[in-house]
Amino acid sequence: MTRPVLTTMILVAAWTTAGGEQPSGPPPAVVFVTNPLDICDSSTEPTKDQVRDTVSAFASPGEYEPVTFSVRAIKPLKGMRVDVGELKSETAVIPRSRIDLRIVSTFNRWLAADNPVETEYFLDRFDAVDIAAHRTRRFWVTVHVPDDAPPGVYHAPLTIRAGDQVLRTLTLRFEVLPIHLSPPDGMNYFQYSNPAALARHLQTPEYNEKILLDMKAHGMTTFTAGGWLQSLDQIDGPHAQRLAVNVETAAKTGLVPPGGTAVWCYGLQYVKEDLLEQILLEARKRNWPMLSLYLVDEPGGERVLKVLERMRTVAAIRRKHPDLRFRTITTTTLDADWPNGTTNVGVGQFYDILIAHAPLVTPALVEEARRLGKQVWAYQCQVAPGPGHHAAFNRYYFGYWAWKTGVTGCSFYMYCSRSYTSSYSNTGTGPKLTQRAWWDIPDKYRDKYIPRFALVRLDPDGPVPALGWEAVREGVDDYRYLVTLKKAIAQARQDGHTHAADQAQRTILAIEDRIDLSSQERSTDAAMKRYHKHGAMALWYRPPPQEDISSTDYNTFRRRIADQIVNLTQIR
């Protein structure tokens, strides 16, 4: 049976009323349920098992949880919209205001002059949308569960209309679990973000706060601050490049938890020794979160001399103020060479926190650093983390991979880069502009440019999330489920429930056994081979981290963990 015939049968089967009657004429569209980690585009057609009446999810109070569905138009659809109702259980209601509805936007990346590849990217709000015949659009629904939501099963209608015609009504079945997730204790989740990379009209305290709140809502627990200072009186001011605006806003929003750290990354290289001492004393006076000083980025080759110079400054400050709390941090490992052939000749010994390129991270490195009183964080910069092609990788990296390696920090480069890359890069077609700041791109080329490294699009009203940014949050939540279960196991052992604790521990071990840590290196190598073959646009595709872990496996893992948490909680 050919694919078009099978698709037609699915569409006709889907075009029925609740009573089983089939309206006259061919169906105008089919609505089908997808997984948020699935790779979709306008050519995606439904499989038979995706055409169903219910879309389901589960979450804990306070958690954000997405579901997705798609509409495949058979005829042109005008003014298609989605009406979302309240989530209701037998005893409680989650209001419509806690449900965020968006449409998935796409762009074409050109791997060659005749080879455009459509790629899902940002999640935009919408009122109504037109869908051309034989095209598919995906819709994204995120439920933010109230902190005080009672446990139970809730239902809400999702009614898809085109004009006055109801195409289909799905039921959103949403289970609120009887547990509360632990924060990711000791984990420093962050994204590199340079305040100076913002458009000038966005470099305000108000917009800076929107960015930090968005980071917090996506599970981040620290951030990279900017502070271009030549004197202490420049520490304050209304500009987003002022250190006080960055750090104090992060503390006010709760982005940096008590006992956490703020990474002073940008502008620090220009601060002289006496001024650095004054700023650290002022930070203590203002009760700021502890500063981690990003001293000399990627310190290989000739930069080693700069490391030695800066560390003499650090040593002098620590001798003079032995009770002054701060840490040193940079991108390095203990002794490994950089992939470009330069070496850091062991400069990692000088730093308190080593941010290692993720493919270089091993549990052995983490353990050795811990033995030396240091921490290992991880970062990835050989990817464009925003598009939907990266969703599975992002969730894997921030969740189960971070858990199994034992790193205490995890990040991408970067939250949103200043440089936008032509989607025609290296193809010999289109506008001959390679990288430009977004606000410098001519209007007629705006739709041909995308941020090379971006988890969000910085619109005037605030950050617009990419699919990959939502997947990062899912990975953080996977980690939080594991932390919560680990604590529950420890409590169960303390209470004498050894058998139940052992059973829960076996669940963790079974999931850990599924995680192949060499996947980072393999996935990165595959991405870089595509980059060298096709140019920058190839970075917008990332192979799944493990072929033997499907998009549905992630929530299967999470459900097994959640069930063990519930079981141990009920035993208590």
Side-chain angles (χ1 to χ4, degrees):
M1 184 179 296
T2 65
R3 175 74 183 181
V5 173
L6 178 60
T7 301
T8 300
M9 292 176 63
I10 293 172
L11 295 176
V12 172
W15 184 233
T16 58
T17 65
E21 298 177 359
Q22 188 169 315
S24 61
V30 63
V31 179
F32 59 102
V33 177
T34 56
N35 186 298
L37 298 182
D38 287 344
I39 297 174
C40 304
D41 57 35
S42 65
S43 66
T44 300
E45 296 181 348
T47 61
K48 187 175 181 179
D49 65 311
Q50 289 178 314
V51 181
R52 54 184 186 266
D53 295 328
T54 302
V55 55
S56 301
F58 65 91
S60 303
E63 192 179 346
Y64 294 81
E65 188 61 23
V67 296
T68 61
F69 64 90
S70 296
V71 176
R72 176 73 175 177
I74 306 309
K75 301 176 180 179
L77 299 179
K78 297 292 185 180
M80 203 224 83
R81 67 185 190 275
V82 181
D83 297 330
V84 182
E86 295 178 322
L87 276 164
K88 297 180 179 180
S89 71
E90 292 183 356
T91 59
V93 173
I94 296 176
R96 173 64 179 85
S97 60
R98 306 288 291 201
I99 305 173
D100 186 31
L101 170 67
R102 295 177 184 254
I103 191 169
V104 181
S105 301
T106 63
F107 73 95
N108 281 332
R109 55 192 178 95
W110 295 78
L111 300 185
D114 59 349
N115 185 20
V117 179
E118 190 180 31
T119 302
E120 292 186 319
Y121 207 147
F122 293 109
L123 304 178
D124 286 298
R125 290 195 170 94
F126 74 105
D127 293 319
V129 63
D130 296 339
I131 305 178
H134 311 299
R135 291 291 182 267
T136 300
R137 295 301 302 268
R138 185 147 68 137
F139 300 86
W140 197 282
V141 180
T142 302
V143 178
H144 183 195
V145 186
D147 292 335
D148 59 352
V153 176
Y154 295 70
H155 296 90
L158 305 174
T159 305
I160 299 94
R161 307 174 186 272
D164 295 330
Q165 185 177 26
V166 174
L167 301 177
R168 195 172 187 84
T169 298
L170 296 175
T171 297
L172 172 56
R173 182 188 186 277
F174 199 92
E175 181 182 0
V176 176
L177 301 174
I179 60 176
H180 284 77
L181 294 184
S182 168
D185 294 342
M187 173 58 81
N188 297 272
Y189 283 122
F190 74 104
Q191 308 300 332
Y192 284 90
S193 180
N194 184 354
L198 298 177
R200 290 289 180 181
H201 65 280
L202 299 182
Q203 292 186 13
T204 65
E206 293 77 18
Y207 203 89
N208 182 61
E209 183 170 352
K210 290 182 179 181
I211 288 175
L212 297 180
L213 285 170
D214 181 57
M215 290 181 176
K216 181 187 177 187
H218 284 82
M220 302 300 100
T221 57
T222 187
F223 74 113
T224 53
W228 288 258
L229 312 176
Q230 295 180 323
S231 62
L232 186 61
D233 60 0
Q234 292 181 343
I235 199 170
D236 290 302
H239 200 276
Q241 295 184 30
R242 293 295 181 245
L243 186 61
V245 169
N246 278 220
V247 177
E248 292 175 3
T249 303
K252 180 182 75 172
T253 60
L255 169 62
V256 179
T261 185
V263 180
W264 183 7
C265 184
Y266 299 102
L268 178 58
Q269 65 269 35
Y270 305 113
V271 176
K272 296 181 179 180
E273 177 179 336
D274 58 340
L275 179 56
L276 179 58
E277 177 186 355
Q278 295 175 48
I279 292 170
L280 290 171
L281 291 170
E282 183 69 13
R284 182 174 64 180
K285 177 181 176 182
R286 299 189 185 198
N287 198 30
W288 283 1
M290 181 168 56
L291 292 177
S292 291
L293 306 179
Y294 205 101
L295 298 170
V296 189
D297 185 35
E298 296 185 354
E302 296 180 356
R303 296 185 186 183
V304 171
L305 298 177
K306 187 66 174 177
V307 171
L308 298 177
E309 175 188 332
R310 298 298 272 172
M311 289 305 170
R312 281 193 289 269
T313 297
V314 167
I317 293 174
R318 282 177 166 162
R319 284 194 301 270
K320 188 174 180 180
H321 306 281
D323 59 339
L324 196 58
R325 295 178 65 248
F326 65 93
R327 295 185 294 189
T328 56
I329 183 173
T330 194
T331 45
T332 186
T333 62
L334 288 171
D335 56 11
D337 290 345
W338 288 103
N340 62 7
T342 62
T343 179
N344 64 25
V345 294
V347 296
Q349 65 183 295
F350 297 111
Y351 290 91
D352 302 311
I353 302 171
L354 317 173
I355 309 180
H357 188 215
L360 301 178
V361 173
T362 64
L365 170 65
V366 173
E367 183 57 36
E368 176 63 10
R370 187 179 294 120
R371 188 184 68 81
L372 296 172
K374 304 178 185 297
Q375 294 184 35
V376 173
W377 297 6
Y379 81 105
Q380 260 283 3
C381 67
Q382 292 177 326
V383 297
H389 287 79
H390 288 263
F393 178 87
N394 294 6
R395 181 168 178 177
Y396 178 92
Y397 171 46
F398 278 80
Y400 299 116
W401 181 89
W403 173 267
K404 187 170 180 178
T405 58
V407 295
T408 52
C410 204
S411 71
F412 274 132
Y413 183 89
M414 61 185 312
Y415 179 69
C416 188
S417 61
R418 176 172 184 161
S419 294
Y420 277 61
T421 302
S422 168
S423 59
Y424 291 91
S425 289
N426 295 359
T427 66
T429 66
K432 303 301 181 182
L433 303 171
T434 53
Q435 288 196 6
R436 297 282 293 272
W438 176 248
W439 52 93
D440 290 334
I441 299 171
D443 288 344
K444 65 179 180 178
Y445 292 148
R446 277 284 171 93
D447 64 339
K448 303 298 189 296
Y449 271 75
I450 46 177
R452 184 174 182 182
F453 300 105
L455 292 163
V456 298
R457 187 182 70 232
L458 296 179
D459 284 5
D461 293 336
V464 175
L467 273 73
W469 190 213
E470 303 304 283
V472 166
R473 176 162 57 199
E474 287 297 285
V476 172
D477 285 344
D478 289 335
Y479 190 95
R480 293 177 63 201
Y481 273 90
L482 285 162
V483 171
T484 305
L485 180 53
K486 183 178 179 180
K487 290 182 176 180
I489 290 172
Q491 185 64 54
R493 294 196 190 284
Q494 182 177 326
D495 294 342
H497 303 297
T498 304
H499 177 73
D502 289 344
Q503 184 179 15
Q505 187 64 45
R506 285 194 292 270
T507 297
I508 292 179
L509 293 175
I511 293 171
E512 288 179 346
D513 285 345
R514 293 286 303 276
I515 307 304
D516 179 3
L517 295 182
S518 64
S519 60
Q520 271 277 2
E521 185 173 4
R522 288 198 310 274
S523 181
T524 299
D525 287 347
M528 293 309 294
K529 286 178 182 178
R530 290 176 61 87
Y531 168 75
H532 291 304
K533 181 178 180 180
H534 296 292
M537 283 301 99
L539 289 175
W540 271 261
Y541 175 77
R542 184 79 176 196
Q546 289 186 219
E547 295 291 347
D548 61 336
I549 297 180
S550 70
S551 58
T552 59
D553 285 336
Y554 290 89
N555 272 1
T556 300
F557 293 164
R558 183 185 288 185
R559 185 78 220 201
R560 292 172 60 190
I561 296 166
D563 288 345
Q564 291 294 340
I565 298 170
V566 171
N567 181 52
L568 294 180
T569 302
Q570 290 175 343
I571 288 176
R572 290 197 69 194

